[in-house]
Amino acid sequence: MKLLIRAARIIDPQSPFHGLVRDVLLENGLIRQIGESLPVDEDDSSIQRIEPAGLCLSPGWVDLRVSAKDPGYEHKEDLTTVCRAAMLGGFTDIAVLPNTKPVLDSKDTLGYVRQATQGQAVSVHPIAAITKRAEGQDFTDMIDLHHAGAVAFSDGEQPLTHPDLLLKTLQYLRPFNGLLMNRPEEQNLTHFGQMNEGLSSTLLGLKGMPAMAEEMMIERDLRLLEYLYPQSAGRPAETVLHFSTISTARSVGLIRQAKQQGLPVSCDVAAHQLAFTDSDLMGFDTNLKVNPPFRLPADREALKQGLADGTIDAVVSDHNPQDDESKNIEFDHADFGIIGLETAFAVVRTHFPEWPLASLVEALTHRPRQILRLPAATIDENQPATLTVFDPDLEWTYERTASRSKNSPFFGKTLRGKALWIINKGFVESL
């Protein structure tokens, strides 16, 4: 099968064609030729064409944090619908959390995910649990899980509470260059918390979740990382510890300082954190109940600055489907989470328009791939065709979702920027 993409602006900082408008010819899953006005037989019906003017082409987008819910919670999401939602959002690759039922803590459960998604256009990469049932007690067999295809290790929605557990995990992963992903939250400070602790939580009469609950765990984890990798011993070039969904200004500052010291650390931010602050919860909209919670305007600006200077490595959707029974109830009883795969790119373009497009693409492509140790994807001749075609300025209204759940605060909102095709594993999907 051949596919010709006409006059697309290539957005790929690692490509020799970055910033140029070029035709791209694909054949049998590879980029065969890149050039200006490539000569092809216009009567050849075997050549599929993508020709609308003004489109951009980048390597396929990667989401580091997706809750697929399958197995066990298929009424909220299943592996087919999550792949469809990812595709509509422009993602060719997603990393799925282990918090299913059963938990992704064995070769059998990882095998189920890999087998169930083989025929999908989206590549699904399982993140295996660090502890059995993600309960923070007994270790899983991480070496076996690594060989079974786990791209990283995390207890997902559950932070690693015990410092000795985190230290031993880092030591256990060291021989095979494994990645530990931790969501920083000291849960002893957030029990029964509903939103960010501050003026808004006081006015609403809701139990707050203090920023220091996140910051204390980041400080702790960085100290442990420095203990394991002292400067004199040399440090790995790749990330060893990744912080998922940071949300406060101090968190950004701590990670910025750690990177300046050469620690092998990385982090990401959920796209929706750039759109809201805690004052937006004054209407008790349960679709705005997320964890980590929306913080103060100063925190949101610090997150943007962290993206701009490269402290924050990646943007994630933090896609967390919840059914009506989990959301259409009193705020303090509602579950945390929003769906975000279909809107992540557009939310960033809409609420952080001054961030250069090339930097956003880098945070959705090369950095996530490097963090997960996935094969590199770049736009050059004789490279695999793992691509996203998108219009960075298209205005559209979010009205429908491919997810089984509907818990999004962006329904009915006009957003900027949209993926239009993904190309991956030989699939060419129009969105």
Side-chain angles (χ1 to χ4, degrees):
M1 187 277 294
K2 292 183 180 180
L3 172 67
L4 178 63
I5 305 172
R6 283 286 191 196
R9 182 172 299 279
I10 295 173
I11 308 296
D12 178 5
Q14 298 191 19
S15 168
F17 300 97
H18 174 56
L20 301 178
V21 176
R22 292 289 185 269
D23 292 351
V24 180
L25 179 65
L26 313 178
E27 184 178 10
N28 298 328
L30 291 176
I31 301 173
R32 289 298 186 191
Q33 196 173 358
I34 301 175
E36 297 183 79
S37 302
L38 290 179
V40 296
D41 183 355
E42 297 299 331
D43 295 325
D44 188 347
S45 60
S46 68
I47 301 178
Q48 187 176 346
R49 290 170 173 79
I50 296 176
E51 299 185 283
L55 299 186
C56 293
L57 180 67
S58 77
W61 300 346
V62 182
D63 194 337
L64 290 172
R65 188 176 178 85
V66 172
S67 182
K69 303 297 184 183
D70 183 359
Y73 305 100
E74 292 89 347
H75 60 289
K76 297 185 179 185
E77 195 76 284
D78 61 43
L79 289 166
T80 299
T81 57
V82 79
C83 285
R84 178 65 183 169
M87 186 171 64
L88 291 175
F91 292 97
T92 60
D93 297 75
I94 58 173
V96 295
L97 297 178
N99 310 98
T100 51
K101 187 177 182 179
V103 169
L104 303 185
D105 60 1
S106 70
K107 291 189 291 184
D108 289 342
T109 49
L110 257 67
Y112 166 77
V113 171
R114 294 173 67 84
Q115 184 175 3
T117 57
Q118 274 184 348
Q120 299 289 338
V122 174
S123 299
V124 177
H125 307 283
I127 299 169
I130 291 169
T131 63
K132 294 178 180 178
R133 298 175 294 280
E135 292 177 344
Q137 299 295 326
D138 300 323
F139 283 113
T140 58
D141 194 332
M142 285 178 265
I143 292 178
D144 277 359
L145 291 168
H146 168 69
H147 290 304
V151 293
F153 296 86
S154 174
D155 276 356
E157 296 170 1
Q158 299 301 318
L160 289 180
T161 302
H162 301 295
D164 186 55
L165 191 67
L166 183 130
L167 183 61
K168 283 187 168 66
T169 301
L170 288 171
Q171 292 171 323
Y172 197 77
L173 297 178
R174 198 170 184 172
F176 59 91
N177 191 30
L179 172 69
L180 188 158
M181 306 176 80
N182 194 26
R183 187 179 68 80
E185 179 190 349
E186 177 47 73
Q187 292 181 317
N188 289 315
L189 293 172
T190 60
H191 281 313
F192 308 112
Q194 304 296 319
M195 62 177 293
N196 180 58
E197 182 183 83
L199 177 60
S200 293
S201 65
T202 302
L203 292 173
L204 291 171
L206 294 173
K207 175 75 164 59
M209 304 168 73
M212 67 175 176
E214 175 178 307
E215 297 156 1
M216 285 175 58
M217 185 165 279
I218 289 178
E219 287 186 274
R220 181 204 74 175
D221 291 2
L222 290 174
R223 288 288 300 274
L224 292 169
L225 188 63
E226 189 171 21
Y227 170 78
L228 188 60
Y229 292 97
Q231 187 67 50
S232 59
R235 290 168 176 166
E238 291 183 297
T239 292
V240 171
L241 174 63
H242 179 85
F243 292 111
S244 298
T245 61
I246 67 169
S247 66
T248 80
R250 179 162 172 75
S251 295
V252 176
L254 289 167
I255 295 168
R256 180 181 290 118
Q257 183 179 10
K259 287 190 169 190
Q260 291 170 350
Q261 295 171 353
L263 285 174
V265 64
S266 59
C267 65
D268 63 54
V269 65
H272 51 253
Q273 288 287 348
L274 307 181
F276 301 104
T277 63
D278 63 351
S279 62
D280 291 306
L281 277 71
M282 298 303 289
F284 291 99
D285 183 357
T286 59
N287 286 323
L288 294 174
K289 185 177 180 179
V290 294
N291 191 11
F294 296 119
R295 305 287 187 182
L296 302 175
D299 294 304
R300 181 171 62 176
E301 291 308 307
L303 293 173
K304 291 181 178 180
Q305 182 57 43
L307 286 167
D309 66 19
T311 298
I312 301 175
D313 298 87
V315 173
V316 300
S317 70
D318 196 21
H319 181 80
N320 190 1
Q322 302 291 354
D323 60 3
D324 287 346
E325 292 182 0
S326 302
K327 280 293 188 180
N328 292 338
I329 52 178
E330 294 84 355
F331 192 92
D332 55 340
H333 293 296
D335 286 345
F336 291 102
I338 72 171
I339 56 171
L341 277 165
E342 295 161 324
T343 55
F345 173 76
V347 166
V348 178
R349 287 289 290 165
T350 303
H351 293 278
F352 193 13
E354 63 272 25
W355 196 27
L357 181 60
S359 298
L360 171 55
V361 167
E362 186 84 11
L364 288 171
T365 58
H366 296 299
R367 285 302 294 138
R369 289 181 181 279
Q370 290 165 0
I371 290 166
L372 291 178
R373 286 79 156 143
L374 296 179
T378 191
I379 299 177
D380 202 354
E381 293 179 345
N382 298 316
Q383 293 296 312
T386 300
L387 305 167
T388 300
V389 181
F390 63 100
D391 186 333
D393 299 312
L394 177 68
E395 292 193 349
W396 60 289
T397 302
Y398 186 41
E399 296 176 330
R400 295 183 301 275
T401 177
S403 173
R404 284 188 178 273
S405 297
K406 308 295 186 290
N407 54 308
S408 171
F410 298 108
F411 281 119
K413 302 289 179 63
T414 298
L415 302 172
R416 176 191 178 202
K418 195 174 191 307
L420 301 175
W421 279 271
I422 68 162
I423 300 150
N424 187 40
K425 301 192 294 187
F427 291 93
V428 179
E429 297 287 349
S430 177
L431 312 179

